[in-house]
Amino acid sequence: MTNGAPPSRRPRRLFARRSWPEARFLADVLRTETVGGGLLLLGAVVALAWANSPWRAGYATLAGWVPWSGGAPLHLDLDLAAWAADGLLAIFFFVVGLELKREFVAGDLRDPRRAALPVVAALGGMLLPALCYVAVTVAAGGTGLRGWAIPTATDIAFALAVLAVVSSHLPQGLRAFLLTLAVVDDLFAIIIIAVFYTAEFHFLPLLGALAPIAVFALLVRRRRTWWWALMPLAVLAWGLVHASGVHATVAGVLLGFTVPVRPRRGDGPGLAERLEHRWRPVSAGLAVPVFAFFAAGVSLVDVDLVGLITDPVVLAVIAGLVLGKTVGVFGSTFLLARFTRAELDEDITWADLFGLALLAGIGFTVSLLIGELAFGAGSPEDDRVKAAVLLGSLVSALLACTVLVRRNRVYRRISERESRDSDGDGVPDVYQEESA
């Protein structure tokens, strides 16, 4: 019993219910991301079907088309697949930057005690997959070690889409935790991309990118949201970061970090929330699905499927997503609850958390991006990584659905019993009426 304990002595509850503004914001995000997850899946399915059809040469031609061949001096002579990965994904990471800023300034992550769980779970959910990948590749001779970070990312759009399909009665705290976990996961993924997957670094362009970012920050701080000024500044910052050798999507994150979160007095929602509301549909409905269309098109025609499945890189990615993510997220959360005074919310069981940990093994957008950065777009290793990410994500999704569907049935039966017992005395109303 903890009701009579002083506030400082009461155990912290993991997955505690959010305030109404927080719940409303999460509901809006869930609706948009669920639709985005469906579009993401559609883009991947169309790409796979086209890449394995008799017209697969057309898919390769489209992905390799260079719309601006004169952009070589500015390092912008990119094909469509590269524009999708470097250009459109910058919109996705801009939204991620806004979301990160909001969580750290006005969300749950501003409180170190409440931030401890998602941070620890995200760290465990990145460390264990990386260790699984390294262990498998080292045991097979050490080939492909550069891709150690591929299974560390969770695709929030896919994960939320699956959760929305199987969930009608699961506790709201699971959805809130998954979103917060993904926010921290994205932050670590951004750091990994910037630090470990920058092949050539040029200092002057990166230094030059600070100027448009600073002007962008000055304008948004003063609430001067002129699109004709902010858009060119964002494009210029993106181009300079791209020319520096750092992955250009980092520019989107930096621009998102500059946007103020807290609203002015009488100004309604904060600017970060308004911009996120405006740009999230573009990210979820255009940027990520188009990237998925160009990234997921791996051809399995004339491929030795047995050799593919037994390839060390493929096995390492699948082991990291399915085993590493589950053990990392679930194990780190269990250890935190075991060795601190934190405990699960009374509405959530460890079985629910286990299903959520399996769901975290759905890696797609960032995993495919890291695979391209690690091995090079279009390389044989990159094709194997695509197949591994798709297969590992599918296995994780199916296992998570198996667990969460059963948990959803349990909560549905509880809800039905409670609805029949409206007076809360533990006896269904229908029995009371019969006895009367």
Side-chain angles (χ1 to χ4, degrees):
M1 299 291 291
T2 60
N3 293 337
S8 60
R9 296 287 184 91
R10 294 176 186 172
R12 301 194 313 273
R13 290 196 176 275
L14 311 185
F15 317 119
R17 294 181 180 88
R18 310 296 179 91
S19 63
W20 165 241
E22 190 83 3
R24 183 176 59 183
F25 175 82
L26 287 172
D28 291 339
V29 171
L30 285 168
R31 282 194 292 269
T32 306
E33 291 286 8
T34 301
V35 174
L39 294 174
L40 177 59
L41 179 60
L42 178 63
V45 170
V46 171
L48 279 171
W50 192 357
N52 291 278
S53 72
W55 307 279
R56 55 187 174 274
Y59 175 83
T61 301
L62 178 64
W65 181 57
V66 179
W68 186 25
S69 57
L74 301 175
H75 305 282
L76 298 178
D77 53 335
L78 308 175
D79 55 35
L80 284 183
W83 275 112
D86 291 3
L88 285 178
L89 271 195
I91 300 175
F92 166 76
F93 278 101
F94 174 69
V95 175
V96 168
L98 292 172
E99 191 175 51
L100 284 169
K101 179 76 175 289
R102 180 190 174 280
E103 285 293 326
F104 279 110
V105 173
D108 287 338
L109 297 182
R110 74 184 186 278
D111 183 353
R113 292 179 300 176
R114 298 188 70 179
L117 174 66
V119 170
V120 170
L123 280 172
M126 300 189 82
L127 178 61
L128 263 295
L131 291 177
C132 285
Y133 183 98
V134 171
V136 173
T137 52
V138 168
T143 303
L145 277 175
R146 181 165 171 75
W148 63 270
I150 294 170
T152 61
T154 296
D155 194 292
I156 185 59
F158 260 158
L160 286 176
V162 172
L163 190 62
V165 170
V166 302
S167 169
S168 60
H169 293 81
L170 290 176
Q172 178 67 27
L174 285 179
R175 297 176 175 86
F177 173 71
L178 179 60
L179 181 61
T180 308
L181 170 68
V183 168
V184 180
D185 188 277
D186 285 338
L187 175 61
F188 290 131
I190 292 163
I191 295 173
I192 287 174
I193 290 172
V195 174
F196 295 100
Y197 292 100
T198 298
E200 297 180 3
F201 178 69
H202 306 285
F203 180 73
L204 288 180
L206 186 62
L207 183 64
L210 296 179
I213 291 175
V215 177
F216 186 97
L218 179 64
L219 290 177
V220 295
R221 289 283 177 184
R222 295 186 176 184
R223 270 59 174 185
R224 302 293 190 264
T225 55
W226 305 313
W227 67 267
W228 49 266
L230 296 181
M231 290 292 289
L233 288 170
V235 172
L236 180 59
W238 175 89
L240 289 170
V241 172
H242 176 78
S244 72
V246 177
H247 199 265
T249 54
V250 175
V253 180
L254 296 177
L255 292 169
F257 281 164
T258 66
V259 180
V261 171
R262 300 189 184 280
R264 290 180 175 177
R265 185 173 300 177
D267 198 23
L271 183 56
E273 186 174 345
R274 297 206 304 270
L275 288 180
E276 185 177 349
H277 181 75
R278 183 177 302 173
W279 283 98
R280 185 176 289 279
V282 180
S283 169
L286 175 66
V288 176
V290 171
F291 168 76
F293 172 77
F294 285 111
V298 54
S299 178
L300 300 177
V301 178
D302 298 328
V303 172
D304 179 10
L305 294 181
V306 176
L308 176 67
I309 296 176
T310 57
D311 183 86
V313 171
V314 174
L315 291 175
V317 171
I318 295 175
L321 290 174
V322 178
L323 180 63
K325 274 289 184 181
T326 305
V327 175
V329 173
F330 184 86
S332 59
T333 308
F334 178 81
L335 291 176
L336 182 65
R338 174 67 176 82
F339 293 104
T340 70
R341 301 198 314 166
E343 61 184 43
L344 289 175
D345 186 86
E346 59 185 8
D347 293 332
I348 298 175
T349 68
W350 288 107
D352 303 331
L353 182 62
F354 180 70
L356 190 71
L358 285 168
L359 198 62
I362 300 178
F364 194 84
T365 306
V366 180
S367 293
L368 292 176
L369 176 61
I370 294 176
E372 290 187 358
L373 296 175
F375 298 113
S379 65
E381 293 85 357
D382 184 41
D383 287 340
R384 292 198 294 270
V385 166
K386 291 179 181 179
V389 169
L390 293 174
L391 184 57
S393 298
L394 178 61
V395 172
S396 294
L398 292 176
L399 292 175
C401 286
T402 302
V403 175
L404 294 176
V405 165
R406 297 184 64 180
R407 297 303 304 162
N408 193 65
R409 289 199 198 104
V410 172
Y411 286 110
R412 185 176 65 245
R413 288 196 294 267
I414 293 173
S415 177
E416 290 171 352
R417 285 200 300 266
E418 291 177 347
S419 65
R420 292 195 298 265
D421 180 23
S422 59
D423 55 6
D425 63 355
V427 180
D429 296 341
V430 63
Y431 297 151
Q432 295 178 355
E433 292 172 0
E434 291 176 354
S435 63

